[in-house]
Amino acid sequence: MSGRQVPVHDGLFESRDGEVTLLASRCRACGRYQFPAATTCPECRGDDLEPVRLSSTGTLWGWTAVHTAPPGYEGPVPFGFGVVELPEGLRVITRLEATDVATLHFGMPVRAATAPLHANADGDTVVTYTFVPA
């Protein structure tokens, strides 16, 4: 094991000094945010998009618990899965670090974090973004 943490996919998020930021795009023509980042706006079909960093906090909008691993998933189960609304008005489908749905409620403040998924062939820990109760 190298002890390094590597993202599950480049360009989804950054993690610096314990602060996790989702990376997105924003259309300069209509102002719509898109996560993950896109090259064409799904709202107006414009192609003048700028890279942006989204807020690292939001509110829980919907949720469930996943007890059976989906195909190709190598991380632990159960895990929470839900929708977080960010201040930018964007709703992000995300993993949640809560498996007991009874502890969750609509509008609950949450913050972005990382969670380990598995080790890669180089011994690095592959991590993904997630949200935890704030």
Side-chain angles (χ1 to χ4, degrees):
M1 285 267 201
S2 72
R4 287 185 340 131
Q5 289 191 344
V6 296
V8 65
H9 191 300
D10 287 333
L12 282 180
F13 64 93
E14 290 179 341
S15 180
R16 291 188 179 143
D17 301 324
E19 180 85 11
V20 176
T21 306
L22 300 182
L23 304 175
S25 57
R26 185 181 150 300
C27 179
R28 288 185 171 110
C30 72
R32 180 176 174 154
Y33 289 89
Q34 180 69 29
F35 177 79
T39 56
T40 303
C41 177
E43 183 73 21
C44 73
R45 299 183 190 221
D47 61 2
D48 187 13
L49 285 82
E50 64 182 326
V52 294
R53 288 172 171 76
L54 298 172
S55 300
S56 60
T57 59
T59 56
L60 189 59
W61 192 78
W63 60 92
T64 191
V66 177
H67 293 277
T68 303
Y73 177 75
E74 298 179 46
V77 289
F79 62 90
F81 188 75
V83 179
V84 169
E85 187 170 59
L86 301 176
E88 292 85 356
L90 186 66
R91 291 184 183 146
V92 175
I93 297 171
T94 183
R95 178 183 162 131
L96 301 170
E97 293 308 297
T99 56
D100 181 0
V101 294
T103 65
L104 304 174
H105 62 272
F106 182 80
M108 171 185 254
V110 292
R111 66 175 173 78
T114 58
L117 290 176
H118 60 271
N120 66 15
D122 296 328
D124 302 324
T125 301
V126 177
V127 297
T128 189
Y129 69 92
T130 186
F131 279 80
V132 299

